[in-house]
Amino acid sequence: QAGMASPENPEQLIIALEPEAASIYCRKLRLHQMIDLSSRAPVNGYSPSDTIGTGFTQAKEHVRRNRQSRTFLVENVIGEIWSELEEGDRYIVVDSGGGTVDMTVHQIRLPEGHLKELYKATGGPYGSLGVDYEFEKLLCKIFGEDFIEQFKIKRPAAWVDLMIAFESRKRAAAPDRTNPLNITLPFSFIDYYKKFRGHSVEHALRKSNVDFVKWSSQGMLRMSPDAMNALFKPTIDQIVQHLSDVFDKPEVTNVKFLFLVGGFAESPLLQQAVQNTFGSRCRVIIPQDVGLTILKGAVLFGLDPAVIKVRRSPLTYGVGVLNRFVEGKHPPEKLLIKDGTRWCTDVFDKFISADQSVALGETVTRSYTPAKPSQLVIVINIYSSEQDNVSFITESGVKKCGTLRLDLTGTDASVPNRREIKTLMQFGDTEIKAMAIDVATSKSVKVGIDFLNY
């Protein structure tokens, strides 16, 4: 829709997967481009006596001063950290953004240093938006849920201003902070509250039992650092818990590095929590321009998409077909008699199982026959399921996710009665692709997969 690629030249557009992009970028990191939370040696020339929070601020300043390091050079280098990894070594990439946190475990395959995905990306709604949500709950506690709801509806621009003011303070939260954080309340908040309740914002703060948020005479909410840190706690606890669950998986033993990337990874509070919990099990590393990690990794992926050699299928995929009815094996309600032949309907013909490892370019081949020799189009529905053993497309949890369309016009129609169309589907890439061949004539059949209309 953006006009970036045309149906005639679909290969103009490659889809990169976020956790992979992060992983690819982390491979290229040089020592001066990252902060190793677990190292006791100076990082970026700062001694370890600096706490994580201040070290991070200094590192940012270091990048700002050294504008050169902002230029993004794609060198065909392997970063120093990478050279410590050996065949079979594992590392985990934790990508924490605004909405979700995704985790992927990759393993190195030498000699080319290709990556193999060991554990499929799992996301949870534990992004930094959770902190905003806690702030909103705090406002409801002080000023009343009914007022906050009305204020959002009646003064949406002022609500956005308030959340922007909170965002900048949220970014200033750090484990070692001692001075309070001031959040400016928009004038219309103060004004509307007085109209709505008949008393002042200051009165509401005094009356509420929230003692760690004070009112400053300059028209600001003054939050103690502990109060701000408490807003982060539920979200950070969920991330740490989710990571602990991942570390308990059998395929996630002996992880050497944990790369923390994404916008929320800029938070010193999250960094400290991850380091405190997992620092003894692996080295925790943060790329310096942590918010741009995915973008830069996507550029690298575009230059060499073959860098990821093995992926895991997140779902079981298959198509709906008719099979010959077998007494005793197929349920009687699935029986369909057509032209004297007994068929079993709604059969799920499995192409690939959930969690199965698939190599890049690996294909699954099936043959299909048009029901009538004169048929010019075969339409096959593609289904997916989180379950592994699916027999019928009518089972619970099976969703129709796409349509495979084989266009037989233009192929030779004067072929034997029984036409066979061989279909190859490719799963190891970031997208599912298909091609088909008319076996009798060896001509290729036009294939389209539509995943967007479901």
Side-chain angles (χ1 to χ4, degrees):
Q1 285 178 338
M4 289 165 73
S6 59
E8 296 74 50
N9 297 312
E11 64 286 337
Q12 284 176 316
L13 181 69
I14 301 175
I15 290 178
L17 306 179
E18 277 192 12
E20 290 183 359
S23 195
I24 292 163
Y25 182 62
C26 289
R27 305 175 49 163
K28 300 276 181 188
L29 286 175
R30 314 304 298 267
L31 285 176
H32 65 82
Q33 295 169 316
M34 60 193 166
I35 298 147
D36 185 345
L37 293 189
S38 27
S39 84
R40 291 287 158 258
V43 174
N44 296 318
Y46 301 114
S47 72
S49 61
D50 292 326
T51 61
I52 290 169
T54 53
F56 199 84
T57 323
Q58 288 170 321
K60 271 184 156 163
E61 179 57 24
H62 178 69
V63 175
R64 198 183 64 71
R65 281 200 310 270
N66 180 6
R67 275 279 170 234
Q68 221 57 45
S69 64
R70 273 292 159 101
T71 326
F72 178 35
L73 290 171
V74 180
E75 311 157 78
N76 197 12
V77 298
I78 291 293
E80 284 95 338
I81 198 122
W82 206 256
S83 52
E84 293 179 37
L85 288 168
E86 292 153 11
E87 166 94 59
D89 275 352
R90 294 145 185 223
Y91 62 95
I92 186 164
V93 176
V94 180
D95 170 19
S96 48
T100 59
V101 173
D102 296 302
M103 304 175 188
T104 318
V105 183
H106 278 142
Q107 186 175 36
I108 311 292
R109 302 175 71 192
L110 295 177
E112 307 92 345
H114 290 137
L115 311 182
K116 175 180 180 178
E117 189 183 33
L118 289 184
Y119 182 74
K120 67 167 177 259
T122 53
Y126 322 126
S128 56
L129 285 172
V131 185
D132 300 0
Y133 176 64
E134 290 297 319
F135 176 61
E136 195 177 317
K137 275 189 354 198
L138 179 64
L139 291 176
C140 289
K141 199 170 167 189
I142 298 168
F143 302 108
E145 203 172 318
D146 53 346
F147 167 71
I148 296 296
E149 282 310 307
Q150 275 306 303
F151 180 66
K152 279 159 90 172
I153 295 164
K154 294 285 194 304
R155 304 279 190 278
W159 173 256
V160 171
D161 287 343
L162 175 56
M163 290 315 284
I164 288 170
F166 174 68
E167 177 70 29
S168 75
R169 299 295 76 209
K170 182 170 83 169
R171 288 171 180 268
D176 53 338
R177 193 183 172 100
T178 51
N179 50 335
L181 296 122
N182 294 325
I183 298 156
T184 310
L185 278 183
F187 171 73
S188 74
F189 186 98
I190 298 166
D191 184 51
Y192 191 63
Y193 184 75
K194 193 151 181 51
K195 282 185 188 141
F196 190 89
R197 282 271 191 262
H199 57 240
S200 69
V201 161
E202 193 177 353
H203 176 81
L205 273 157
R206 272 206 312 271
K207 214 176 60 157
S208 76
N209 304 329
V210 183
D211 52 351
F212 42 73
V213 181
K214 300 273 184 278
W215 175 246
S216 93
S217 52
Q218 293 95 3
M220 295 179 177
L221 287 181
R222 178 163 286 179
M223 287 183 84
S224 72
D226 286 350
M228 179 58 97
N229 296 359
L231 298 182
F232 278 80
K233 194 174 178 333
T235 305
I236 288 177
D237 286 353
Q238 283 183 306
I239 293 173
V240 167
Q241 182 54 55
H242 193 52
L243 252 173
S244 298
D245 295 345
V246 171
F247 268 98
D248 289 342
K249 300 267 185 268
E251 59 271 66
V252 189
T253 47
N254 309 327
V255 168
K256 220 170 192 178
F257 295 111
L258 186 154
F259 291 105
L260 197 55
V261 306
F264 195 25
E266 289 178 17
S267 161
L269 292 166
L270 176 61
Q271 293 171 17
Q272 189 190 52
V274 171
Q275 171 60 24
N276 288 350
T277 317
F278 305 103
S280 56
R281 301 172 80 160
C282 56
R283 278 171 67 190
V284 179
I285 306 252
I286 300 164
Q288 216 158 50
D289 44 0
V290 59
L292 296 174
T293 307
I294 311 287
L295 174 69
K296 293 185 170 188
V299 172
L300 289 165
F301 176 73
L303 293 170
D304 180 17
V307 63
I308 308 263
K309 282 283 186 265
V310 178
R311 288 186 174 85
R312 288 199 166 233
S313 174
L315 299 168
T316 296
Y317 287 101
V319 298
V321 296
L322 287 175
N323 275 354
R324 289 291 174 99
F325 192 84
V326 180
E327 288 293 342
K329 177 187 169 194
H330 292 143
E333 66 272 14
K334 298 281 183 201
L335 174 64
L336 169 79
I337 299 175
K338 208 172 177 185
D339 302 334
T341 309
R342 293 159 66 84
W343 296 101
C344 177
T345 60
D346 300 333
V347 174
F348 186 99
D349 183 15
K350 187 158 71 176
F351 276 48
I352 186 172
S353 298
D355 229 16
Q356 187 179 329
S357 289
V358 225
L360 188 66
E362 195 172 307
T363 55
V364 177
T365 309
R366 293 279 190 279
S367 289
Y368 298 108
T369 310
K372 297 199 264 316
S374 59
Q375 203 172 323
L376 293 179
V377 175
I378 302 181
V379 175
I380 299 160
N381 289 319
I382 302 174
Y383 295 88
S384 66
S385 168
E386 289 179 9
Q387 302 307 314
D388 192 9
N389 48 350
V390 185
S391 305
F392 296 101
I393 59 172
T394 47
E395 288 173 31
S396 70
V398 176
K399 294 190 184 77
K400 183 172 169 182
C401 64
T403 314
L404 181 65
R405 193 185 157 89
L406 308 176
D407 186 347
L408 309 182
T409 54
T411 53
D412 200 344
S414 60
V415 289
N417 276 346
R418 190 175 153 73
R419 275 178 96 177
E420 187 188 346
I421 309 296
K422 193 165 140 194
T423 309
L424 296 97
M425 285 182 87
Q426 207 173 6
F427 285 91
D429 218 331
T430 52
E431 293 176 84
I432 298 172
K433 298 194 175 86
M435 57 177 291
I437 294 141
D438 188 340
V439 176
T441 61
S442 301
K443 279 191 183 164
S444 67
V445 173
K446 223 169 113 210
V447 176
I449 302 190
D450 179 5
F451 282 117
L452 298 179
N453 291 322
Y454 297 96

